[in-house]
Amino acid sequence: MKRRVAPILLLLTALTGACLDPIRSAPTDACEEDTEACPEPDSEPRGVAEKVTVGRQHACALLESGGVRCWGGTGLVGDGTRALRASAVAVKGLSTGVLGISAGADHTCAVLEGGTVRCWGDNTSGQLGQASLSSSLEPLDVGGLGSNVLTVASGEAHTCALHAGGQVTCWGDNSRLQLGASEVSERSYTPVEVRGLPANLTVLAAGAYHTCAATTAGEAWCWGDNAYGELGDGLAGVGLKSPPVRARSLALPVRALTAGKGHTCARVGDGAVECWGFNASGALGDDTALDSTVPVRPVGLTADMRQVRAGTGFTCALSAEGRVRCWGLNEAGQLGDGTRVHRAAPVDVSGLANEVVDLGTGVTSTCTVLRDGRVQCWGANAAGQLGDGTQTERAGPVEVQGLEAP
């Protein structure tokens, strides 16, 4: 019997960010380099995956058991060490009780049973919600949130939480007003409430420099950077936006949102996809390279999409039958079609069976959860972020190691 998961759709997108500063050592068993002297992670229960989230040089899976396992770059996987992990390892202190996870560029946050949040990784902009800018090798509690968080969304260097009361709080980088707080300067160490949002919010998505939410009535609201029209208010290049603005011209109701670096996509109605914003790399999927301040539909997609995920300059969607199609930037093979050719319209992922149940996009890599709980990834892999035990770039799916059921 599967573990009960949070009733809110978790939408997450991980995007590019600043380089990782030196990370604070854990109190015990921390090591300085990726060497054989580094201790192996705690021997915690393994299990099949349920959800996946992807950052710049790391990725994490939420297991059916409620535990979290991550793989990838040094200091990012939450196991208390600075070792590069090319296969999945257990996150310290998160063996059970996790309801949702969201990876930013170089940090990750988890929602626990009881509505609290823990984050780990890079903290150079305050995205871990601590009283300092010290980064962490293992999960730390985010203070000032209370115990009623339903879901979190992590952007490049900021994090936002949706509370049971309907309000949204954000912390971290605010250089583009992505926290929705004009009174806050460059960053906030602690959560600040986003003012001007309607009630009854059910969806939250964080992009590189902007954030969006949707209501039960199906309206979308966004705030932050609007250089390419990614906020959806029909304007572009007219400055930063705080408080939030309503995205217009969408085919309502909006069921899900995802935010990338300069573009946003929504799942509307019964499963159609609409995207807007930056399109030089083809991330909108309309077979052009023209930016759009109003929603356009990717060509060739059926209107039964279950998920849509925006990465950095590319997008992927999951159909009701479990089929994944991707479009946009493809320099590292992140579209999974066996090539490194950019695509302005959706293409099938090569060698991926129609049995995908969850999808995650990052900066230059993509991961999926299959019906049997296995995870497959493709794209850039210099930091081991594909989890296949190597650091070899892949233009098609490979299986993540270390997630086997006990």
Side-chain angles (χ1 to χ4, degrees), residues 156 158 173-181 206-212 221-233 235-245 259-264 276-278:
E156 178 169 327
H158 76 288
D173 181 27
N174 195 43
S175 60
R176 313 285 181 88
L177 297 183
Q178 56 266 56
L179 304 187
Y209 307 118
H210 71 293
T211 314
C212 295
W221 293 74
C222 299
W223 58 96
D225 193 12
N226 200 36
Y228 303 100
E230 56 264 54
L231 301 190
D233 63 347
L235 302 173
V238 293
L240 312 175
K241 299 295 181 72
S242 174
V245 294
K261 187 176 182 181
H263 78 291
T264 309
W276 59 96
F278 183 68

Side-chain angles (χ1 to χ4, degrees), residues 4-46:
R4 184 182 66 83
V5 296
I8 296 297
L9 176 62
L10 180 63
L11 290 160
L12 36 103
T13 303
L15 304 130
T16 55
C19 294
L20 201 66
D21 275 3
I23 296 181
R24 186 177 65 234
S25 298
T28 59
D29 75 346
C31 64
E32 295 299 321
E33 301 177 42
D34 179 19
T35 68
E36 293 182 359
C38 289
E40 287 301 311
D42 293 346
S43 179
E44 298 189 30
R46 294 181 178 181

